[in-house]
Amino acid sequence: MAAVLASPLAPIRKGSRVFFSLNSYFHCSSGLASKEHYKIVVLGGGSGGITMGARMKRKVGAKKVAIVEPSEMHYYQPIWTLVGAGAKSINSSGRPTASVMPSGVKWFKSRVTKIDPKNNTVSTDSGKELSYDYLIIALGLQLHYEKIKGLPEGFQHPKIGSNYSLQTVEKTWNALRNFKEGNAIFSFPNTPVKCAGAPQKIMYLSEAYLRKTGKRSKANIIYNTSLPVLFGVKKYADALWEIVKSRDLNVNLRHNLIEVRPDKREAVFENLDNPGETKIFEYEMLHVTPPMGPPSVLKGSSLEDEAGWLDVNKDTLQHKTYDNVFGIGDCTNVPTSKTAAAVAAQSAVLDRTITKVMKKDKPDKKYDGYTSCPLVTSYNTVILAEFDYNGQPLETFPVDQGKESRIMYHMKADLMPHLYWHGLLKHHSFVKLHHQHT
């Protein structure tokens, strides 16, 4: 408090004025810290938060639910792969948050600054303190471009883009359509990421575009991934290796991007199998997948695991320490890929878990880790990867989903966005990809 008061009080001499200023300060601060109580508070207005907000509204009534989300716009991020390849517009990916917010619930257009699970309270940057009976954390993850030397300022230069942020996705398309000749490089970081297939989807699309525009012979396409595998599920990895070979793509495993020198058009990668050993690649086009990490607000909240992710039971999505706290989506430590399809499957399980907990019963429905990743391999084909915690395929359709499919592409590009906006977010009878996971 001293730091806050020092500046305005320094010139004040008379006691009455000091008293007036102090009185004014405490009056204002008590107003700022006004407390409101809700039966259920949802942190985050992304796919997980909006979905659970809609479900909780139906469970306890709109007036008993609050959602904390600072953003004016809500984006369907899976479509950004196609935006970066020039197949969709950035405008098609977003809608005002107000239009997807469940009607009647209280929307706090603020950022969460503190979570205190011991006292069942949440603080926001607008000065509000919310108390809750039950808390659902759906804060997503954070992008860390700054952990790569030369970024994010390097995005001011041409030839470099990233499909992972609103500010950089169209830069990918600019770099692709202005490609002349040389190396087109695509990176995958040494951290968990959302949609682990996306870093290579843009590679396949870029290759297809360069073929279509007659520039393929002048392009050397390189995928540098920190992972020891091309994809985490063997069935789909085998199919992708076949595509890599047939299209003459160069894959370097265990290569992690640590620096970008945009003025020289150089990307520096570290060999993770021999730490400290680096290699410089010149580029004509560079697509960066940034390092990612858990929401910083979880740090020190006693809600996080050792790596900083929300520590939940992977079967029920209930917090391991606090019975009235739950998690969904990218912010959690459930050991499956972080995708919108995972959120859809998790939301049904979490809904059931919360119902049981409210009735003082034990959760009885288990999330099996189901997730889906439509691996876009061209402008009209997709390999639809669906799998569980154990990396075992959990396929929906009576065909071999390890093969490229035109129908699956149209599902990814056209059907899934419609189901997202009109089904999942509104908790209507949303048809999830895998019927056993409804």
Side-chain angles (χ1 to χ4, degrees):
M1 185 189 300
V4 176
L5 296 179
S7 176
L9 292 183
I12 297 177
R13 295 287 179 265
K14 293 186 178 178
S16 60
R17 291 173 69 186
V18 172
F19 174 78
F20 176 80
S21 297
L22 283 169
N23 187 51
S24 172
Y25 171 78
F26 284 118
H27 176 76
C28 292
S29 66
S30 64
L32 283 172
S34 60
K35 189 185 258 188
E36 293 186 32
H37 181 81
Y38 293 88
K39 189 172 186 69
I40 298 170
V41 171
V42 181
L43 304 184
S47 54
I50 295 295
T51 299
M52 291 312 300
R55 284 179 175 272
M56 294 304 101
K57 170 187 169 180
R58 293 190 176 195
K59 193 179 300 293
V60 302
K63 298 207 179 312
K64 295 181 180 179
V65 179
I67 297 178
V68 183
E69 168 56 49
S71 304
E72 290 277 0
M73 291 291 290
H74 180 105
Y75 290 95
Y76 177 61
Q77 295 180 26
I79 213 72
W80 286 354
T81 287
L82 299 178
V83 174
K88 293 279 184 180
S89 72
I90 190 68
N91 291 337
S92 72
S93 71
R95 296 189 181 182
T97 301
S99 72
V100 299
M101 194 63 60
S103 60
V105 309
K106 178 68 175 181
W107 173 23
F108 289 93
K109 204 181 296 182
S110 315
R111 195 171 300 279
V112 182
T113 55
K114 183 182 178 184
I115 307 170
D116 183 357
K118 294 185 180 73
N119 294 302
N120 298 329
T121 60
V122 171
S123 303
T124 73
D125 62 358
S126 62
K128 284 283 185 186
E129 186 174 277
L130 311 180
S131 61
Y132 58 81
D133 294 333
Y134 303 94
L135 180 68
I136 299 173
I137 300 177
L139 289 169
L141 49 66
Q142 288 181 218
L143 307 180
H144 291 292
Y145 288 104
E146 79 284 354
K147 291 189 176 180
I148 299 170
K149 189 178 178 183
L151 294 182
E153 61 274 15
F155 287 114
Q156 295 168 13
H157 293 251
K159 312 290 186 183
I160 173 173
S162 174
N163 290 352
Y164 274 89
S165 85
L166 181 68
Q167 295 76 24
T168 58
V169 61
E170 289 178 301
K171 292 177 185 293
T172 303
W173 172 230
N174 288 334
L176 177 56
R177 65 181 173 181
N178 293 323
F179 185 95
K180 294 182 175 62
E181 61 179 319
N183 291 337
I185 302 176
F186 305 84
S187 73
F188 188 110
N190 191 26
T191 66
V193 303
K194 51 182 171 183
C195 194
Q200 60 184 295
K201 295 178 196 180
I202 186 60
M203 170 180 65
Y204 302 126
L205 285 161
S206 297
E207 193 275 339
Y209 178 80
L210 295 175
R211 243 187 302 134
K212 186 171 69 176
T213 53
K215 299 176 185 175
R216 180 64 182 93
S217 62
K218 296 179 179 178
N220 181 33
I221 297 176
I222 302 168
Y223 183 61
N224 285 350
T225 173
S226 65
L227 298 176
V229 293
L230 186 57
F231 192 73
V233 180
K234 187 179 185 303
K235 171 175 179 172
Y236 307 116
D238 289 347
L240 294 170
W241 275 118
E242 290 301 316
I243 292 171
V244 163
K245 289 171 190 167
S246 67
R247 298 187 195 168
D248 193 25
L249 309 175
N250 301 293
V251 175
N252 297 308
L253 303 176
R254 303 291 287 155
H255 277 54
N256 184 42
L257 180 64
I258 59 171
E259 182 181 356
V260 177
R261 302 166 181 166
D263 51 333
K264 299 179 182 175
R265 290 192 204 162
E266 291 178 349
V268 183
F269 288 83
E270 181 179 18
N271 181 352
L272 295 179
D273 288 333
N274 192 7
E277 178 187 307
T278 60
K279 185 174 180 181
I280 297 171
F281 291 77
E282 293 183 356
Y283 65 83
E284 166 71 3
M285 171 187 179
L286 175 64
H287 178 269
V288 177
T289 301
M292 302 180 202
S296 57
V297 72
L298 292 179
K299 190 173 183 180
S301 67
S302 74
L303 291 166
E304 75 274 34
D305 66 8
E306 288 182 0
W309 303 96
L310 185 67
D311 196 17
V312 298
N313 180 302
K314 71 183 182 71
D315 298 323
T316 65
L317 306 173
Q318 183 178 30
H319 194 269
K320 289 179 181 176
T321 304
Y322 301 97
D323 290 346
N324 65 333
V325 177
F326 310 87
I328 186 170
D330 295 353
C331 66
T332 69
N333 63 353
V334 297
T336 193
S337 290
K338 299 177 184 296
T339 68
V343 166
Q346 289 168 19
S347 66
V349 175
L350 183 51
D351 192 333
R352 175 77 173 179
T353 292
I354 293 172
T355 296
K356 285 289 188 178
V357 171
M358 284 179 168
K359 292 178 179 175
K360 307 287 191 264
D361 289 339
K362 283 192 173 179
D364 61 352
K365 189 166 184 174
K366 288 188 174 184
Y367 172 54
D368 56 11
Y370 171 80
T371 191
S372 166
C373 185
L375 294 155
V376 182
T377 54
S378 76
Y379 284 88
N380 57 16
T381 55
V382 156
I383 289 175
L384 182 59
E386 295 179 282
F387 48 94
D388 64 12
Y389 276 137
N390 301 314
Q392 295 301 307
L394 270 180
E395 297 184 346
T396 301
F397 301 97
V399 294
D400 181 1
Q401 290 180 204
K403 291 194 162 97
E404 292 179 280
S405 164
R406 286 174 179 261
I407 291 174
M408 300 302 179
Y409 176 86
H410 290 297
M411 188 180 76
K412 152 77 179 174
D414 306 317
L415 178 61
M416 292 311 294
H418 179 80
L419 289 176
Y420 179 82
W421 294 115
H422 301 288
L424 176 64
L425 293 187
K426 298 186 182 304
H427 181 41
H428 290 158
S429 53
F430 180 71
V431 182
K432 283 184 282 294
L433 281 178
H434 200 273
H435 64 276
Q436 294 181 6
H437 302 270
T438 52

